[in-house]
Amino acid sequence: SLRDGAFPFDRLNAEHFLPALETSLKEARTHLEKMKADTRPATFENVILELETGSENLGRVSSVFYNLLGAETSDRLQELAKTVAPQLAEFGSDVSLDPKIFARVKAVWDSRESLGLKGEELRLTEKTFKDFARNGALLDETKKSKLREIDQELSKLHPQFSENVLKATNAFELVLTDRAELAGLPEAQIEAAAEAAKAKWYEGKWLFTLHYPSYMPFITYSERRDLREKMYRANLARAFRDGFDNEPIAKRIAILRHERAQLLGYKTHAHFVLEERMAETPERVSQFLERILEKAKPASDRDMREVRELAKAEAGLDDFQPWDFTFWSEKLKMKLHDFDDETLRPYFKLESCISGVFEHARKLYGLRFEEIKDVPTYHPDVRTYEVTEASGRFIGLFYVDFFPRPTKQGGAWASSLRDQGFQGGRVERPHATIVCNFPKSTASTPALLSIDEVRTLFHEFGHALHNLLSDVKYVSLGGTSVYWDFVELPSQIMENWAIEEEGLDLFARHYQTGEKIPRELIKKIRETARFQAGYYTMRQLVFSMLDLAFHSADPSGITDIDAFEKKVTMRASPLKPVEGANISCSFSHIFAGGYSAGYYSYKWAEVLDADAFEFFKEKGLFDGDVARKFRDHILSRGGTQHPMELYKAFRGREPDPDALLRRDGLI
């Protein structure tokens, strides 16, 4: 048997999924029937716990399936998703819409006091009751059947949206044949592009794609304005009125979500979602975004003006376009701070950065990470670590998957192959994963990260710690199973250490000379962490406002997604709209991920993280007492209490809403 019941990826092929799904579905249904036939009085053990544990194998199969669908997909897996998602949705409906099961759940909820339920048992009972009520258990049969239809259709549309974005991303290639076309690009990018071209049989040429490690340096450093325009337009035209058009899918998803919310008695999808969030209502989210907009707009206007003025002064550029912004912004940073991101890369060798995040986890939480080779993985790039405490206590397994490939979605995310909590008759430790898209090493250079990529690593590692340090009884309450606008706190707070001198000192070394990152470079990293904070805040607001607009009103009147998007984001958008460019059609976070009516939560959690990090700065970045409080009240407690209660237990008070504006220099 494998270490701690690790998943046997070496014995897995795509054809195993359907039989495994069918077997585990059958098993789960048998379990439910047995539970429904139980005539004993309803208790926590014979109802709530039975529901919690009755479909464990099904959870395992779907968890592995969706991890692979994102990180190591194939035509076959994408095909299977069209069967797997509807079957899982149907099972979900069968459970949540079953009147007998709900009657048993309600009986436990109603007699929670006489049953003496408290702590996690009470919380899990409340969560189970609410999940049923919010998923249609109180509806009549006609409405239940309508709800089923909606959930079935949505289960097919979400993976379709995602697949279209990936295919559209992979479809674009910029192949350059003349070295002069590479003007301005860093040598490492040129070498990576040559290797990418070689892998595609474009011998002696350079290949650039829309995958982040290729796209971002190109748009930042290429002196060829015409080619920057080509890349920019291609990036923002993905899955928009092309061969992979997501416009009808996005519209349909928004309409179905609205219908679903109304069926359940909510005004809109946003009202439905936000009932289970710290923000509580769309009005409150809107006020929150407006307050930030009010403070960030003048700063953003100033940021834009400075960049335009530089482009005018140095290149006589009157006709400033969105594909000029990143290029001239980088030049401005160089001018003001005598510093660009490429200066930093040599200090951020991926291997050192990995050791760096592990060292942070050791100093803060006493964790040790040891690489192990005896656990099978789904791709040769994936590495596995055993996580323990100094005492030798086993904490969990940790899988990392760092490099882009055509079979992987873009971006970065954290997930788990096994959650912490009660399963198989005992409380198990978690198997956490993080997936990123970092540049690979080339023939002459190891994998080197930009400062943004270092922050991404720390961010995803924060999510992993939330999963790894979970210490609860029940899976449904553990790790990242928390309110969505609270889930980004553990990840975003970790980013702070990546730009602090004390944090950088632990790992930032020049990959050739081994010298520590110089003080003056750290000073520049700190100064430039706020560089153009107004502009970047407004960009986040654009995404948040667009998300809220899709979900906080009836979307059936949206005939043209592009016109709708431009109208909604005009007030906040720092860049002028570009014909043929569209955010919505590749906005996977809200149309294929879990962020619908929740994109604001990045900014919301930034308020929490800025406030929480002020506590660390006050007491010491690695202060044992503050770290212990953060672990005990935030990282280990999952969703066992309301997040505001957990936060107050850590901080001693509610978060200060101005902490973020202070940190970004906006007040």
Side-chain angles (χ1 to χ4, degrees), residues 67-355:
N67 270 285
L68 286 182
L69 192 64
E72 181 53 17
T73 195
S74 63
D75 291 344
R76 182 65 187 127
L77 283 184
Q78 288 175 347
E79 205 47 50
L80 282 172
K82 292 167 190 167
T83 308
V84 172
Q87 286 201 28
L88 290 171
E90 187 184 10
F91 175 72
S93 301
D94 287 347
V95 178
S96 58
L97 301 178
D98 189 305
K100 278 190 177 167
I101 299 176
F102 181 57
R104 302 274 291 164
V105 169
K106 189 173 184 306
V108 181
W109 175 241
D110 290 343
S111 52
R112 59 194 181 275
E113 284 179 13
S114 60
L115 288 169
L117 296 183
K118 49 185 187 291
E120 283 193 41
E121 280 73 20
L122 179 61
R123 185 77 175 165
L124 185 60
T125 304
E126 179 189 21
K127 185 181 190 303
T128 308
F129 176 75
K130 273 190 176 172
D131 284 351
F132 271 85
R134 285 170 54 79
N135 283 294
L138 300 164
L139 300 179
D140 63 36
E141 286 312 311
T142 316
K143 286 182 173 173
K144 278 183 179 177
S145 132
K146 180 68 186 150
L147 190 73
R148 255 179 205 283
E149 281 171 32
I150 290 174
D151 287 346
Q152 274 294 301
E153 195 178 339
L154 282 171
S155 75
K156 293 172 186 161
L157 292 173
H158 295 151
Q160 186 62 54
F161 187 95
S162 215
E163 184 184 322
N164 284 348
V165 175
L166 182 62
K167 285 184 171 167
T169 305
N170 286 335
F172 177 84
E173 293 182 339
L174 177 69
V175 181
L176 303 182
T177 51
D178 179 355
R179 203 172 168 96
E181 295 171 308
L182 305 170
L185 293 174
E187 208 42 59
Q189 301 314 131
I190 294 172
E191 192 181 344
E195 290 194 5
K198 196 172 167 186
K200 281 272 186 114
W201 308 102
Y202 301 134
E203 208 62 52
K205 299 175 183 176
W206 296 271
L207 169 64
F208 296 91
T209 69
L210 298 178
H211 291 284
Y212 191 85
S214 178
Y215 175 80
M216 209 53 215
F218 195 94
I219 209 84
T220 308
Y221 297 107
S222 170
E223 283 168 19
R224 286 290 298 268
R225 193 180 183 218
D226 56 332
L227 297 178
R228 290 202 311 271
E229 177 180 355
K230 202 170 178 177
M231 288 286 270
Y232 182 90
R233 285 184 181 276
N235 189 49
L236 276 178
R238 285 177 303 153
F240 176 57
R241 297 176 186 168
D242 56 9
F244 313 101
D245 189 14
N246 267 335
E247 186 169 12
I249 295 178
K251 277 196 278 200
R252 186 72 187 139
I253 289 173
I255 285 167
L256 287 171
R257 284 172 176 167
H258 183 69
E259 282 179 13
R260 187 181 195 281
Q262 293 227 304
L263 204 56
L264 291 165
Y266 295 86
K267 192 176 164 192
T268 66
H269 179 66
H271 287 85
F272 168 75
V273 167
L274 293 165
E275 182 182 65
E276 293 281 271
R277 300 287 189 267
M278 290 177 83
E280 294 172 348
T281 65
E283 294 70 28
R284 201 163 161 213
V285 172
S286 201
Q287 286 161 6
F288 170 71
L289 297 175
E290 285 297 329
R291 171 157 167 71
I292 296 176
L293 179 74
E294 178 202 331
K295 301 293 179 192
K297 181 95 172 78
S300 174
D301 291 346
R302 187 178 63 242
D303 290 345
M304 286 303 299
R305 192 168 57 247
E306 287 176 350
V307 173
R308 283 168 180 278
E309 282 168 1
L310 183 69
K312 171 87 172 131
E314 293 202 358
L317 196 62
D318 286 316
D319 173 32
F320 191 88
Q321 296 292 344
W323 47 87
D324 296 318
F325 179 79
T326 312
F327 177 79
W328 285 103
S329 168
E330 192 62 27
K331 290 247 185 288
L332 179 66
K333 184 157 73 174
M334 190 72 189
K335 190 173 180 219
L336 294 177
H337 300 282
D338 185 26
F339 161 77
D340 75 353
D341 284 353
E342 289 306 304
T343 323
L344 292 174
R345 266 189 208 273
Y347 294 95
F348 295 133
K349 183 177 156 186
L350 176 60
E351 294 306 314
S352 312
C353 296
I354 297 168
S355 306

Side-chain angles (χ1 to χ4, degrees), residues 241 247-248 251 255 550 554-564:
R241 297 176 186 168
E247 186 169 12
K251 277 196 278 200
I255 285 167
F550 269 115
D554 182 351
S556 57
I558 303 170
T559 47
D560 177 333
I561 270 198
D562 202 39
F564 173 76

Side-chain angles (χ1 to χ4, degrees), residues 388-405:
T388 53
E389 286 185 310
S391 65
R393 176 179 170 240
F394 177 69
I395 292 294
L397 295 180
F398 180 47
Y399 295 74
V400 299
D401 178 0
F402 285 134
F403 306 116
R405 45 184 180 264

